[in-house]
Structure formats: structure tokens, C-alpha cells
Amino acid sequence: TWWVRRCERGGEVLAPGDPETPVQVIDVRDLAAFMLRLAENGTAGTFNAAGPARADGGMLTMGELLETARNTLNPEATLTWVDEAFLLARGVQPWVDLPVWLDRANAGLATARLDRAIAAGLRSRALSQTLRDTAAWAATENATPAGTGPGPSRLPVGLSPEREADLLAAWHGAGCPAPASDD
């Protein structure tokens, strides 16, 4: 939920690394439906299940993920793409501090081929729908932040607003560009 909540909050959003970096995510409802379909059909085997698969067969990118999140959840937010080396030099941990993002050295982990799963019936709902539904779910009492609700405490995920602001200030202080206007 970190990117959903971050984009909903608006303002300047730190977007990590290269917007063309591949990412793979899946709506758990799509994964569950796929697994049930396999079980019902008696289909055995190993499948890479991720999504959403693009119509052109290409990989989803971090840029597409964040632009879709921004457009869906808060079009007033602005994305500032911050260089990977800058982030890594300041101790930002891929995936942990900025969920879903992998640095270049590990980006291959998000390039699993989905052909076999798609042929076996994996379908992905629109990313915008997953983002809207995740935002609605996160707004319920069932999606309480780490350590604030019943059940086992979870470690916090993602950068704190203060750390993100500090990183953006350092980025701009180094003479790096501010977010471009969409106008």
C-alpha cells in the first residue's frame, strides 16, 4: 500500500531510478483466480504469475506504475525522478525503502516470462482498478499501519515523509531538476 498512500498524499513524490526499469506486480485477486483455475482444470506445473501484462507483450515499467498511480489517485501529485546512484549512496534500500523498485543490479528479478501463465489462463485486471481498490481497502480499519492494530506487529515499509523530503531537498540542492509540469 505504500505507493498508493504516497500518491494519494500528493505533493512532490520521489520516483526512484530509471522510469524504464521493469517491475512486476500482481493483484492478489488475479493470482487467486488463476490458482483456482489451475486447480479446477487439473493443470500442474510451474508458472511465473505476475502482471499486469501489457497488450503489446512488453514489461510494465516503474514509470508506468507511478504515472498510473498518480493519474488514478491524485493527478495533482508530481513525480521527481531521482538517480539510482544518488539514492544508493544515501543508503536508500531498493524494495525496502521504495517498494517494488529494484536497482539496475537486481532489475532482472522483475523480468520473469509470463507466457506460460497467460496461456494457462492468467488474466490481469487494469492496474488503475487495482490501485483504486487498494486505496479503498487501505482506508478501512482492516489496513491499519504497522503496529497500530490487532495482530502481530509489522515492520514499517517505505520511506517516512521526513526522509523522502530530506532526499528530495538534497537532490534539488545538488542542482538536480525539479518535477516537470504536466501542462
Side-chain angles (χ1 to χ4, degrees), residues 14-183:
L14 189 156
D18 180 351
E20 294 302 313
T21 300
V23 296
Q24 288 183 313
V25 297
I26 190 164
D27 189 307
V28 70
R29 298 167 297 180
D30 297 334
L31 179 60
F34 176 61
M35 293 171 66
L36 286 171
R37 186 174 302 112
L38 292 175
E40 289 169 350
N41 294 337
T43 305
T46 303
F47 299 89
N48 294 318
R54 288 187 358 194
D56 66 2
M59 303 294 291
L60 180 68
T61 66
M62 192 70 179
E64 291 168 316
L65 173 67
L66 295 185
E67 282 294 336
T68 302
R70 185 188 72 79
N71 292 337
T72 301
L73 302 168
N74 187 347
E76 299 301 314
T78 56
L79 299 175
T80 297
W81 290 94
V82 177
D83 183 72
E84 171 182 304
F86 179 91
L87 295 172
L88 295 174
R90 283 157 183 77
V92 175
Q93 296 178 8
W95 201 273
V96 174
D97 291 326
L98 293 166
V100 182
W101 172 60
L102 293 170
D103 59 330
R104 278 186 211 101
N106 295 297
L109 295 172
T111 60
R113 292 189 53 118
L114 309 177
D115 310 29
R116 190 161 184 261
I118 291 168
L122 176 64
R123 301 292 175 263
S124 298
R125 68 194 73 222
L127 180 57
S128 58
Q129 180 184 352
T130 295
L131 293 164
R132 274 192 302 275
D133 292 350
T134 300
W137 172 81
T140 70
E141 62 187 340
N142 295 328
T144 57
T148 62
S153 181
R154 294 177 300 158
L155 294 174
V157 175
L159 295 174
S160 69
E162 298 79 18
R163 177 100 192 276
E164 180 188 20
D166 289 347
L167 287 164
L168 286 167
W171 176 250
H172 296 310
C176 299
S181 172
D182 288 337
D183 298 331

